[in-house]
Amino acid sequence: MALGLEQAEEQRLYQQTLLQDGLKDMLDHGKFLDCVVRVGEREFPCHRLVLAACSPYFRARFLAEPEPAGELRLEEVAPDVVAQVLHYLYTSEIALDEASVQDLFAAAHRFQIPSIFTICVSFLQKRLCLSNCLAVFRLGLLLDCPLLLRKVQMVKDAHEGRLTVLRKKKKEKGKEAAGPQAASKGTGDAKAEGEEEDERVLPGILNDTLRFGMFLQDLIFMISEEGAVAYDPAANECYCASLSTQIPKNHASLVTKENQVFVAGGLFFNEDNKEDPMSSYFLQFDHLDSEWLGMPPLPSPRCLFSLGEALNAIYVVGGRELKERESSLDSVLCYDRLSFKWGESDPLPYAVYGHAVLSHMDLVYVIGGKGSDRKCLNKMCVYDPKKFEWKELAPMQTARSLFGATVHDGRIFVAAGVTDTGLTSSVEVYSITDNKWAPFEAFPQERSSLSLVSLAGTLYAIGGFATLETESGELVPTELNDIWRYNEEEKKWEGVLRELAYATGATFLPVRLNVLRLTKM
C-alpha cells in the first residue's frame, strides 16, 4: 500500500532524526571514530563518513589521500569556528551572533556547506541596515553571494528613494519579429536602456553568473608588474588571473584568511594630499572581474616593509622611508577593512626593514630583518591587537634578512636569506606553543629573497637570488625562477620545475581560486 505524501515525509524526517541522533551519540561516546581534525593545538575527533557526506571540501581532501590518514589539519581558521561547524553537521544546531557570523560565513564558503551558508545569509539579511550595508556588501562580494548583494542594493536604494533593477531585462520573444514597429520605437528604447544601465550599480557578473564553489582550487598566486598568474603545482598548469599592469615593481603582497589578496608599494603623486603628496599604491584583487581595485593609498610611502593581518585589519610593518635619509622605521600603519580607512597602530619595539611578517590566529609575528645600524637581527616579536601590545619572543638561531617565511603545519618556517657575512641556506622552524627554534633541513643553495609557500599541506620554496659564476668567471647575483617542495617522508627538498614561467619579479601567495573563471595558459 502506497503511503501518502504527508506520511512519507513524516517517516523520512523521522529516519533522518534517528540517523543524526545516532551519529551524535556515537560521537559523544567515542564510538567508531576514525578521524581527528586538528586546528592549531585543538583536536576534534569525528567520523570521516559524516564529513565527506556533508562537505565536498572534506570529501575531496579524503579522496586525495593515497592512504587513509587519521589526522586532517586545517589552517587559517579559528578552532571555535570549526567546533561550531562540526557541531552543526552532527546536530543541525548553530548559534549565530554578530561577532561570529562573518567567520562562519567564510568557513561555510570554504568547506562548501550550503545550509550554513544559507543560514548566515538569512541572518545578515534580517540585520541589514544603512550603517552596516557597506561591510555586508564587501562580504557578499568576497564570497560571491548575489542574493546578499541584491539585498544590500535594495537597502541603499531605499535610503536614496529610488528603485533599482539589478538584472537586465530579457528580450521579448516577439521583439525581433516586430520589424518596422520596433524601429519606430528605437530612440525611446535606447533611452530607456541607457537609463536602466545608469541605474545598475552592481556589476552584471554578480547577478547573472552562477557560483562555482565546487571548482575552487589551491593555487600559487604569482603577482608581478607584468600581471597575475595562478600556478597549480599538482597539475603543473598555469592560469592567467589578470593582465593588469597596475602592480608596482617593488611591492609587498598579502592573502587574508578570507582569501582576499592585497598589494601595497610603489610611489605616486597624490594631488588630494597637499601636505604630503607622495603616496604608495594599495590595491585589492577582485577575483570576479580579474582586476585590481584601487583602495585608499598608503599614507606613508616606504620600502622593504611587510604586510600582516588580524581582526579585519591589515598592518604595514616597519620598512625604510622613501626620502633622502631613508631612515629605518618602527611605525606600523593599520588599514581597517570595515571602514576603509588608514590609521596608526602601536609602534614596533625597534626599527626594522627587510624583515618577515606572518599572521596566525589573529596575531602578527615580526621576524629578523635589519636594524637602524644595518646589521642583521635575530629578533622576533608578536603583536596582539586585542591587548594592543607587542611581546618579544625567542630569537632565531641565525640573524638574517630578506629570507623566506611562512606558517606551515602550525609552525613558523624561515629559510635562506642574507646574513652579515653573506648568503645562507640554513632553515629554522619555530614552535609557537613551546616558543623555541630548532634547525631544519637546509635548502640546497644559498639564496636571498627566497619565497616560502604552504599550500594544501605541502611546503614549497620558490625563486630568489643566488650568486652564480658567469662564463668569464665573474660572480654575479642572478634571479632564479625555479620551484622546490619539501618531501616530508624522505626529509629532503626536491626540485619541481627548473624554470617557472611568469615568476620573474613576482611575489607568491597561497590562494583558492575558481579555475572556471581563469584562462589556462
Side-chain angles (χ1 to χ4, degrees):
M1 180 178 176
L3 297 174
L5 290 177
E6 292 185 3
Q7 188 176 0
E9 180 66 14
E10 184 179 336
Q11 290 194 3
R12 186 178 68 86
L13 292 175
Y14 173 76
Q15 182 61 29
Q16 286 180 345
T17 304
L18 188 66
L19 176 62
Q20 193 168 58
D21 291 346
L23 290 171
K24 183 62 167 61
D25 184 70
M26 287 191 291
L27 177 69
D28 293 339
H29 292 86
K31 302 296 184 182
F32 305 111
L33 299 174
D34 56 359
C35 176
V36 173
V37 176
R38 179 185 289 273
V39 187
E41 298 303 314
R42 288 184 63 180
E43 295 182 349
F44 301 95
C46 51
H47 303 91
R48 291 163 60 94
L49 185 62
V50 174
L51 298 186
C54 298
S55 165
Y57 171 87
F58 290 120
R59 189 183 313 146
R61 288 284 299 268
F62 292 141
L63 291 175
E65 295 175 353
E67 296 181 2
E71 184 175 275
L72 182 68
R73 291 182 177 270
L74 297 178
E75 297 182 1
E76 299 302 329
V77 60
D80 291 340
V81 174
V82 174
Q84 282 192 270
V85 170
L86 294 177
H87 180 75
Y88 174 82
L89 297 184
Y90 278 92
T91 65
S92 297
E93 299 172 355
I94 192 165
L96 278 182
D97 54 38
E98 283 78 1
S100 65
V101 63
Q102 181 169 329
D103 290 335
L104 283 168
F105 200 3
H109 183 268
R110 176 180 176 183
F111 301 140
Q112 300 167 21
I113 306 174
S115 51
I116 299 181
F117 195 90
T118 302
I119 292 172
C120 292
V121 170
S122 177
F123 180 90
L124 291 170
Q125 284 181 330
K126 292 177 181 177
R127 288 159 178 77
L128 196 59
C129 60
L130 192 63
S131 62
N132 65 13
C133 67
L134 188 59
V136 175
F137 174 79
R138 182 185 63 83
L139 188 62
L141 184 69
L142 167 67
L143 300 181
D144 194 3
C145 181
L147 179 62
L148 193 56
L149 292 167
R150 284 197 292 269
K151 191 70 174 180
V152 172
Q153 192 62 60
M154 290 170 63
V155 171
K156 180 178 180 294
D157 292 338
H159 175 72
E160 296 176 357
R162 63 181 175 133
L163 179 64
T164 297
V165 179
L166 292 176
R167 289 183 179 272
K168 291 182 179 179
K169 292 183 178 180
K170 296 181 179 180
K171 293 181 179 179
E172 298 178 4
K173 293 182 179 179
K175 187 173 182 179
E176 295 181 0
Q181 295 180 3
S184 65
K185 298 180 181 179
T187 305
D189 290 345
K191 183 178 179 181
E193 289 179 5
E195 291 175 354
E196 182 179 344
E197 285 300 314
D198 291 340
E199 290 295 297
R200 286 173 48 81
V201 179
L202 302 180
I205 191 171
L206 299 181
N207 306 304
D208 302 321
T209 301
L210 297 174
R211 292 185 67 247
F212 296 106
M214 297 288 290
F215 297 94
L216 288 174
Q217 288 189 17
D218 291 307
L219 305 169
I220 295 176
F221 202 48
M222 303 182 289
I223 306 170
S224 72
E225 59 181 339
E226 301 295 331
V229 174
Y231 173 67
D232 182 357
N236 191 26
E237 291 180 339
C238 285
Y239 298 87
C240 178
S242 174
L243 295 176
S244 173
T245 56
Q246 295 175 267
I247 304 300
K249 185 173 182 179
N250 297 312
H251 67 270
S253 59
L254 168 77
V255 59
T256 68
K257 60 184 178 181
E258 297 90 3
N259 202 43
Q260 289 179 300
V261 177
F262 291 90
V263 162
L267 191 66
F268 74 96
F269 187 82
N270 185 3
E271 296 180 354
D272 296 332
N273 191 339
K274 302 299 182 182
E275 297 181 0
D276 192 3
M278 302 310 295
S279 300
S280 289
Y281 292 96
F282 186 55
L283 308 170
Q284 180 179 356
F285 183 68
D286 180 358
H287 64 278
L288 296 176
D289 291 331
S290 295
E291 291 291 342
W292 291 96
L293 306 177
M295 309 300 284
L298 205 64
S300 172
R302 55 185 70 192
C303 64
L304 296 174
F305 61 91
S306 290
L307 299 176
E309 62 107 6
L311 299 179
N312 286 316
I314 294 177
Y315 296 88
V316 178
V317 183
R320 299 184 71 176
E321 286 183 313
L322 285 176
K323 296 181 179 179
E324 292 182 2
R325 293 184 300 168
E326 292 188 354
S327 302
S328 302
L329 300 171
D330 62 359
S331 61
V332 179
L333 301 177
C334 178
Y335 176 75
D336 188 330
R337 287 190 283 159
L338 299 181
S339 66
F340 302 94
K341 293 181 180 179
W342 284 99
E344 284 215 26
S345 182
D346 301 281
L348 283 157
Y350 48 88
V352 65
Y353 66 94
H355 51 295
V357 172
L358 297 174
S359 304
H360 183 63
M361 305 303 291
D362 284 326
L363 297 175
V364 179
Y365 294 85
V366 178
I367 313 165
K370 288 189 176 184
S372 300
D373 57 0
R374 301 193 176 187
K375 295 287 185 66
C376 288
L377 303 173
N378 64 352
K379 293 182 178 181
M380 179 178 181
C381 61
V382 62
Y383 181 68
D384 186 344
K386 295 179 181 177
K387 298 180 180 179
F388 304 101
E389 67 179 15
W390 288 95
K391 177 183 177 182
E392 292 209 26
L393 301 175
M396 290 187 293
Q397 297 176 352
T398 301
R400 65 184 85 200
S401 66
L402 300 177
F403 54 91
T406 190
V407 177
H408 175 69
D409 196 21
R411 298 176 293 170
I412 293 176
F413 287 74
V414 299
V418 178
T419 68
D420 290 331
T421 57
L423 301 182
T424 182
S425 62
S426 66
V427 181
E428 306 178 41
V429 60
Y430 173 77
S431 171
I432 296 176
T433 54
D434 299 331
N435 188 28
K436 291 182 180 179
W437 288 92
F440 194 75
E441 183 69 26
F443 190 71
Q445 186 180 36
E446 294 180 345
R447 295 190 187 184
S448 68
S449 303
L450 182 74
S451 296
L452 286 185
V453 173
S454 177
L455 185 76
T458 301
L459 181 63
Y460 293 92
I462 311 170
F465 290 83
T467 303
L468 301 181
E469 186 175 354
T470 63
E471 295 180 356
S472 61
E474 184 182 3
L475 296 176
V476 296
T478 305
E479 183 175 6
L480 303 174
N481 296 325
D482 53 355
I483 178 170
W484 299 69
R485 66 167 166 254
Y486 184 73
N487 188 321
E488 298 281 356
E489 295 182 357
E490 299 183 12
K491 308 297 181 185
K492 67 177 184 179
W493 293 94
E494 296 177 338
V496 178
L497 275 181
R498 185 180 297 273
E499 185 75 19
L500 180 60
Y502 318 107
T504 302
T507 55
F508 306 90
L509 299 172
V511 299
R512 294 184 302 277
L513 294 178
N514 186 338
V515 294
L516 293 186
R517 296 190 187 276
L518 306 178
T519 302
K520 187 180 293 187
M521 305 179 71

